């Protein structure tokens, strides 16, 4: 036996076994490491086994039930998937609607683009509102179906049911996460900004400036178009009230600012004196026309354009803006004029208010014709009725007032009675171009209320009757004077006033030339009577009878001259003293009368002094008998009958049983009278007038000076 060979075989076997054991050990070691690493994973798998078990349970369900569940699941998942796609689309709209973006984008820059994106959001919002609940209900039905057949783990189904309950009726604003509300807020802010950018007040045109036939457009057409687009979207999304509030706040502020610039403080405390209301009433008419025809007309047009088809909203909105324009305050001022103290001048004021409202009648009907302006309509109707009734009442009472004045005392200075001056001017105004159409329309309307007819001739007849009633007062007044000469002066003044102030007037044309010439002739007649019965009686006092100038008769002639000069001086002083308080208001008539007086007295006085003055001078006591120089006498006579201004006013209409009083005339010395007395004092200093002759005039001077 070969032992060496066996040893080698054994050694090789041992080596192979060792390698095998070593490899097995390495594998065992590697397997141990792998098991150590797989431990946590096994735990995870163990934890996931219940879920996996629930997931694979349907697989273990009968094939027929699983096949029947498939169509139900497909029908439920389809709407849900569509809703999810819309939600994804809504999220995609957030950047263009909310992000600041580049210049020219967003609601302020690219409004049409912004509104297009908003329209997509509104469509998505409507889809979600209509389908979100429906999709949730479909999913709830399939969950119930799966639960009834135990195809899904009940715990899983319970979690799904809780989520579905929340989805069935979500708040509307939560469908898009509040994106629509935020976008509408941005639009509302842009609406407010556009209004604010065009909020400059409207200025009233200067008097005499050409006024346009239509109200100016103060908001550009492009801005109006944007406002309309924004308003439509906001109203469509239930924000109408907020839009109206924003609009009224913005445009009301513009209207208020425009009114503040006018200065309307006079509307708040109008005077109760019809005469004093004149300037304020003129402003009232111009301001009311501006407010109605320009300011509010432009606001009405803007309202109509911005609110478009929303006519009811536009009317209500405009009514609120008009209320802030103070239309009711203007009407209350007109009511205050109607409530002023009763006075003939008030008739003119009532006609002026009526005329202003009548000119704006069509504008009022157009602007304030809706239900929203019911109060303005009501107060306007009431005011118009009050104006017409008040004007007709005063007009119909005028002739009664003139007749009642017949028994009032005439002016103590022989001047023209205030009533004559007033009625002549007043009737001319009533028949003039300004008031005649107004009064005719007022009388026509008033008669129509009583189912009667009125024509223009009736108006003329009433005015003529007033004038004739005034004429009848003349004779009554003239007979009230104790002094016949003063009554002549009075009649001369009054008839001349009639002639001068009616000639070339509407009333004078109606009365006719024959009637006017009669008054001129009356003036001439009473002037001649006045001169003859007063100053004409002085010249004969300077007669030359018995003045024989020979040596033995000079003493007798001197005594006669002295006596006649003394008598003349006394009569002249008395007459001048009396007539210094009389007046002739008309300058031409006054100058003519003074010239006639001078021609009646001065030539005879001059001639007498020239012929017989030396006789008196020989006696050495000239100043005792020759009190006036010829020039001094002429100046005194030329300065007679100066008028004194009277306090402005008219007779007051009160109530009818002796309820009319003439206003008491306060005589105040005017500039001409002051010049006269200044001349008189200078004449005394120059010895042209003797001081003793001035004594009789002094009380008159004091009376006049005390009235200043």
């Amino acid at each position: 036996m070969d032992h060496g060979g066996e040893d080698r075989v054994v050694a090789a076997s041992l080596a192979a076994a060792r390698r095998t054991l070593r490899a097995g050990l390495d594998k065992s070691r590697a397997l141990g490491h792998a098991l150590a690493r797989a431990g946590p994973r096994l735990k995870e798998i163990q934890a996931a086994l219940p879920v996996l078990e629930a997931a694979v349970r349907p697989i273990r369900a009968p094939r027929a039930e699983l096949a029947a569940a498939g169509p139900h699941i497909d029908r439920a998942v389809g709407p849900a998937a569509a809703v999810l796609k819309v939600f994804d689309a809504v999220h995609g709209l957030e950047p263009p609607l909310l992000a600041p973006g580049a210049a020219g984008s967003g609601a302020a820059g690219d409004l049409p683009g912004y509104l297009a994106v908003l329209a997509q959001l509104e469509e998505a919002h409507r889809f979600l509102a209509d389908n979100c609940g429906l999709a949730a209900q479909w999913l709830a039905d399939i969950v119930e179906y799966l639960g009834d057949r135990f195809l899904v783990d009940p715990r899983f189904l319970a979690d799904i049911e809780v989520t579905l309950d929340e989805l069935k009726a979500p708040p509307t604003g939560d469908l898009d996460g509040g994106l629509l509300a935020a976008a509408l807020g941005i639009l509302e802010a842009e609406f407010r900004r556009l209004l604010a950018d065009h909020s400059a007040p409207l200025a009233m045109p200067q008097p005499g400036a050409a006024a346009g036939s239509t109200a100016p457009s103060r908001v550009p057409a492009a801005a109006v178009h944007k406002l309309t687009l924004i308003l439509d979207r906001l109203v469509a999304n239930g924000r109408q009230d907020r839009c109206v509030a924003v609009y009224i706040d913005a445009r009301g502020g513009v209207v208020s600012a425009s009114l503040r610039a006018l200065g309307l403080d006079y509307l708040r405390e109008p005077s109760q004196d019809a005469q004093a209301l004149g300037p304020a009433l003129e402003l009232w008419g111009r301001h009311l026309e501006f407010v109605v025809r320009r300011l509010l007309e432009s606001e009405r047009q803007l309202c109509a354009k911005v609110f478009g088809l929303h006519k009811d909203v536009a009317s209500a909105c405009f009514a609120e803006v008009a209320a802030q324009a103070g239309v009711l305050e203007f009407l209350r001022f007109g009511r205050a004029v109607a409530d002023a103290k009763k006075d003939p001048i008030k008739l003119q004021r009532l006609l002026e208010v009526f005329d202003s409202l009548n000119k704006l009648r069509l504008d009022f009907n157009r602007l304030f014709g809706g239900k929203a302006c019911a109060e303005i309509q009501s107060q306007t109707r009431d005011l118009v009725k009050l104006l017409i009734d008040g004007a007709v009442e005063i007009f119909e009472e005028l002739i009664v007032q003139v007749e009642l004045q017949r028994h009032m005392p005439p002016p103590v200075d022989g001047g023209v009675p205030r009533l004559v001056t007033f009625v002549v001017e007043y009737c001319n105004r009533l028949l003039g171009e300004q008031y005649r159409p107004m009064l005719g329309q007022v009388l026509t309307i008033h008669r129509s209320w009583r189912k009667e007819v009125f024509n223009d001739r009736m108006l003329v007849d009433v005015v003529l009757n007033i004038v004739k009633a005034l004429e009848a007062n003349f004779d009554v007044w003239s007979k009230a004077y104790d002094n016949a000469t003063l009554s002549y002066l009075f009649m001369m003044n009054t008839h001349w006033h009639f002639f001068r102030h009616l000639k070339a007037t509407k009333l004078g044309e109606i009365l006719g030339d024959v009637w006017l010439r009669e008054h001129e002739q009356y003036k001439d007649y009473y002037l001649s009577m006045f001169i003859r019965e007063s100053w004409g009686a002085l010249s004969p006092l300077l007669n030359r009878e018995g003045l024989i100038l020979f040596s033995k008769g000079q003493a007798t002639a001197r005594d006669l001259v002295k006596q006649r000069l003394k008598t003349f001086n006394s009569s002249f002083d008395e007459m001048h003293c009396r007539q210094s308080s009389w007046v002739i208001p008309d300058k031409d008539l006054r100058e003519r009368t003074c010239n006639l007086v001078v021609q009646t007295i001065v030539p005879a006085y001059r001639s007498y002094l020239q012929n017989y003055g030396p006789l008196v001078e020989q006696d050495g006591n000239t100043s005792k008998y020759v009190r006036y120089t010829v020039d001094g006498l002429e100046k005194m006579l030329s300065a007679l009958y100066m008028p004194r201004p009277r306090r402005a006013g008219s007779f007051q209409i009160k109530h009818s049983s002796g309820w009319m009083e003439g206003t008491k005339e306060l005589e105040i010395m005017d500039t001409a009278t002051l010049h006269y007395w200044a001349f008189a004092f200078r004449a005394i200093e120059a010895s042209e007038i003797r001081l003793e002759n001035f004594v009789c005039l002094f009380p008159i001077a004091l009376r006049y000076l005390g009235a200043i």
Side-chain angles (χ1 to χ4, degrees):
M1 167 177 265
D2 189 358
H3 292 285
E6 293 179 356
D7 291 335
R8 285 194 295 274
V9 172
V10 171
S13 299
L14 290 173
R18 186 180 61 186
R19 286 194 297 275
T20 301
L21 288 173
R22 183 174 295 170
L25 182 61
D26 291 337
K27 288 181 179 180
S28 297
R29 188 180 292 113
L31 182 58
H33 288 307
L35 289 174
R37 289 195 302 273
R41 179 64 177 163
L42 289 175
K43 292 180 179 179
E44 292 177 4
I45 293 173
Q46 185 177 7
L49 282 177
V51 178
L52 292 174
E53 182 182 5
V56 299
R57 183 173 296 171
I59 300 176
R60 294 182 301 172
R63 182 180 296 276
E65 292 185 8
L66 289 176
H72 292 288
I73 295 173
D74 291 341
R75 285 194 296 271
V77 171
V83 168
L84 290 176
K85 288 181 181 179
V86 173
F87 270 116
D88 290 339
V90 167
H91 290 309
L93 298 177
E94 289 186 8
L97 290 176
L98 300 182
S105 64
D110 181 16
L111 182 61
Y114 191 88
L115 292 176
V117 177
L118 180 62
Q120 297 177 26
L121 175 60
E122 290 176 340
E123 184 178 357
H125 200 274
R126 287 193 296 272
F127 179 86
L128 292 177
D130 294 340
N131 295 282
C132 190
L134 182 61
Q137 185 60 50
W138 278 70
L139 291 175
D141 291 344
I142 194 59
V143 167
E144 183 179 358
Y145 177 85
L146 295 175
D148 291 344
R149 287 159 179 77
F150 301 103
L151 297 179
V152 180
D153 186 355
R155 291 173 297 176
F156 176 71
L157 290 179
D159 293 339
I160 293 178
E161 287 175 351
V162 171
T163 303
L164 289 176
D165 288 339
E166 296 176 355
L167 292 176
K168 285 180 182 178
T172 304
D174 290 343
L175 287 174
D176 59 357
L179 180 60
L180 179 60
L184 294 176
I186 291 174
L187 277 184
E188 188 177 312
E190 177 63 9
F191 187 78
R192 183 181 290 105
R193 185 192 69 79
L194 285 171
L195 290 172
D197 286 350
H198 303 91
S199 60
L202 179 63
M204 181 175 174
Q206 294 297 322
S213 58
T214 58
S217 176
R218 294 179 288 141
V219 181
V224 173
H225 181 63
K226 289 182 178 181
L227 289 169
T228 302
L229 294 177
I230 294 173
L231 183 71
D232 287 341
R233 298 301 350 120
L234 292 175
V235 171
N237 286 277
R239 296 203 176 194
Q240 175 177 303
D241 292 343
R242 295 178 64 173
C243 289
V244 169
V246 170
Y247 186 91
I248 291 174
D249 182 63
R251 301 312 304 177
V254 172
V255 168
S256 298
S258 301
L259 293 178
R260 283 195 299 272
L262 298 178
L264 301 177
D265 293 340
Y266 67 89
L267 293 178
R268 296 177 180 85
E269 295 182 0
S271 172
Q272 282 295 300
D273 180 10
Q275 185 78 28
L277 278 170
L281 195 54
E282 181 182 357
L283 278 178
W284 178 85
R286 291 196 290 112
H287 287 164
L288 181 61
E289 181 178 1
F290 164 73
V291 169
V292 172
R293 287 188 172 170
R294 296 180 67 83
L295 184 60
L296 288 184
E297 177 60 28
S298 66
E299 291 299 330
R300 184 194 68 83
Q301 293 178 7
L302 182 61
C303 257
K305 291 175 182 177
V306 171
F307 288 93
L309 299 177
H310 310 286
K311 294 183 179 180
D312 292 341
V313 179
S315 297
C317 198
F318 172 74
E320 290 294 333
V321 174
Q324 297 193 36
V327 175
L328 292 176
E329 287 189 28
F330 278 94
L331 295 177
R332 280 191 285 270
F333 179 86
R335 180 63 181 261
V337 175
D339 292 338
K341 295 178 181 178
K342 202 171 184 182
D343 184 287
I345 295 297
K346 181 181 175 181
L347 172 57
Q348 298 176 12
R349 301 293 173 257
L350 295 176
L351 293 176
E352 290 163 6
V353 175
F354 171 81
D355 186 54
S356 294
L357 293 176
N358 190 51
K359 288 177 181 177
L360 299 173
R361 177 170 53 87
L362 296 179
D363 302 278
F364 264 69
N365 292 339
R366 184 179 65 257
L367 292 175
F368 312 123
K371 294 181 180 179
C373 297
E375 186 177 2
I376 294 178
Q377 298 170 26
S378 175
Q379 291 203 22
T380 302
R381 285 193 299 269
D382 292 345
L383 176 57
V384 169
K385 188 176 188 309
L386 196 63
L387 294 171
I388 292 176
D389 288 341
V392 171
E393 180 184 1
I394 294 175
F395 181 67
E396 291 178 345
E397 287 181 350
L398 286 176
I399 189 170
V400 178
Q401 306 308 317
V402 171
E403 292 171 349
L404 287 174
Q405 284 276 13
R406 189 168 297 163
H407 304 291
M408 299 296 294
V412 295
D413 56 9
V416 180
R418 185 186 305 280
L419 180 67
V420 174
T421 305
F422 177 81
V423 170
V424 169
E425 180 182 359
Y426 192 77
C427 290
N428 266 323
R429 286 186 182 180
L430 291 183
L431 293 179
E433 295 181 357
Q434 180 181 1
Y435 292 105
R436 184 170 180 173
M438 306 179 200
L439 183 55
Q441 189 168 7
V442 164
L443 292 170
T444 300
I445 294 172
H446 191 266
R447 290 291 182 92
S448 70
W449 291 346
R450 299 187 297 187
K451 308 299 182 183
E452 298 176 1
V453 178
F454 180 83
N455 58 59
D456 189 66
R457 186 62 208 179
M458 295 179 181
L459 169 60
V460 173
D461 289 342
V462 172
V463 175
L464 291 179
N465 288 335
I466 293 172
V467 174
K468 291 176 181 178
L470 183 61
E471 276 187 291
N473 291 2
F474 294 175
D475 289 335
V476 177
W477 284 334
S478 67
K479 293 174 182 177
Y481 289 105
D482 295 332
N483 188 314
T485 306
L486 181 57
S487 73
Y488 297 149
L489 181 75
F490 164 78
M491 293 294 275
M492 176 187 72
N493 279 328
T494 306
H495 284 287
W496 180 244
H497 183 88
F498 250 44
F499 176 77
R500 283 292 299 271
H501 290 83
L502 289 176
K503 187 178 180 180
T505 65
K506 290 288 184 181
L507 182 55
E509 292 175 6
I510 295 171
L511 292 167
D513 291 338
V514 174
W515 186 91
L516 290 174
R517 281 197 299 272
E518 287 180 356
H519 283 282
E520 185 178 25
Q521 292 168 1
Y522 279 131
K523 179 266 300 181
D524 292 336
Y525 169 75
Y526 286 113
L527 174 58
S528 63
M529 291 292 292
F530 172 74
I531 296 296
R532 187 183 70 185
E533 297 296 326
S534 58
W535 300 103
L538 294 185
S539 296
L541 298 178
L542 299 176
N543 65 78
R544 305 186 181 191
E545 183 181 354
L547 299 180
I548 302 174
L549 301 180
F550 54 87
S551 58
K552 294 183 179 179
Q554 284 188 354
T556 303
R558 184 182 300 110
D559 292 339
L560 285 174
V561 169
K562 290 180 180 179
Q563 182 61 39
R564 288 170 184 173
L565 283 174
K566 185 176 180 181
T567 302
F568 173 83
N569 290 335
S570 176
S571 299
F572 176 84
D573 290 345
E574 180 184 357
M575 188 169 298
H576 186 274
C577 183
R578 182 189 311 118
Q579 295 197 18
S580 292
S581 62
W582 298 356
V583 300
I584 301 177
D586 184 81
K587 180 181 178 182
D588 293 338
L589 181 59
R590 182 172 63 253
E591 291 179 352
R592 182 183 176 188
T593 302
C594 288
N595 287 336
L596 289 175
V597 172
V598 169
Q599 292 171 16
T600 302
I601 301 297
V602 173
Y605 186 73
R606 179 187 295 109
S607 175
Y608 200 81
L609 291 185
Q610 288 175 350
N611 292 323
Y612 304 110
L615 290 176
V616 178
E617 292 174 358
Q618 293 174 6
D619 199 29
N621 194 13
T622 306
S623 61
K624 183 177 180 181
Y625 301 102
V626 183
R627 295 181 178 178
Y628 305 106
T629 66
V630 174
D631 290 341
L633 189 70
E634 183 174 352
K635 290 178 182 178
M636 289 179 65
L637 294 174
S638 298
L640 285 171
Y641 315 122
M642 289 292 184
R644 294 173 295 280
R646 296 169 180 174
R647 181 173 296 170
S650 65
F651 59 89
Q652 300 290 321
I653 295 180
K654 298 185 181 176
H655 231 342
S656 187
S657 50
W659 41 273
M660 173 176 170
E661 295 180 4
T663 54
K664 186 177 181 180
E665 301 176 353
L666 176 63
E667 299 177 345
I668 302 175
M669 181 155 62
D670 64 355
T671 304
T673 309
L674 285 172
H675 289 169
Y676 169 72
W677 293 114
F679 157 75
F681 282 111
R682 288 197 300 272
I684 292 173
E685 294 176 355
S687 298
E688 293 179 346
I689 299 178
R690 307 298 180 226
L691 181 60
E692 58 269 25
N693 297 332
F694 186 73
V695 171
C696 70
L697 304 178
F698 191 67
I700 301 173
L702 290 179
R703 178 163 62 88
Y704 290 160
L705 291 170
I708 298 178

